[in-house]
Amino acid sequence: MKSGNFWIYLLVMFGVTYLIRVLPFVIFHRKIENKTIRSFLAYIPYTVLGAMTVPAVFYATGSLVTACAGVAAALFAAYRGKGLFTVAVCASLTAFAVGMALQAAGM
């Protein structure tokens, strides 16, 4: 990559990121009172986190079967009220165990 192109790309990325962070302050001068809009905005971080994480989970192991087993274990542990660390360990161990079982079975 040419050095000139790098600086152009960097400036464009800076501009886009800056606008995304500054525009809400410029557009909304007072506190948002509408309960529907406030509720919608409260769920945005969770939605974005889910949209970035869930697809990556299914490609992390290289096998859809092990990924689905890990997700099922994570959902079960989370449903039972376990903490984040416990859920992650359960999902990882399940995916690993299913992967080892599939490898031993020759699949």
Side-chain angles (χ1 to χ4, degrees), residues 46-61 64 67-68 71 75:
Y46 304 108
T47 305
V48 170
L49 182 63
M52 291 186 323
T53 304
V54 171
V57 167
F58 289 104
Y59 294 106
T61 63
L64 186 60
C68 287
V71 168
L75 289 175

Side-chain angles (χ1 to χ4, degrees), residues 8-91:
I8 291 171
Y9 297 151
L10 184 68
L11 286 173
V12 169
M13 288 189 312
F14 168 77
V16 169
T17 304
Y18 185 76
L19 283 176
I20 289 172
R21 294 173 189 265
V22 169
L23 277 179
F25 292 112
V26 173
I27 294 172
F28 303 108
H29 295 288
R30 56 182 165 68
K31 184 177 179 180
I32 298 172
E33 301 293 335
N34 188 325
K35 287 184 180 181
T36 306
I37 293 174
R38 288 179 55 145
S39 175
F40 172 77
L41 292 174
Y43 286 109
I44 293 284
Y46 304 108
T47 305
V48 170
L49 182 63
M52 291 186 323
T53 304
V54 171
V57 167
F58 289 104
Y59 294 106
T61 63
S63 168
L64 186 60
V65 175
T66 58
C68 287
V71 168
L75 289 175
F76 179 74
Y79 180 75
R80 299 287 307 232
K82 303 299 180 188
L84 180 62
F85 181 75
T86 306
V87 170
V89 168
C90 287

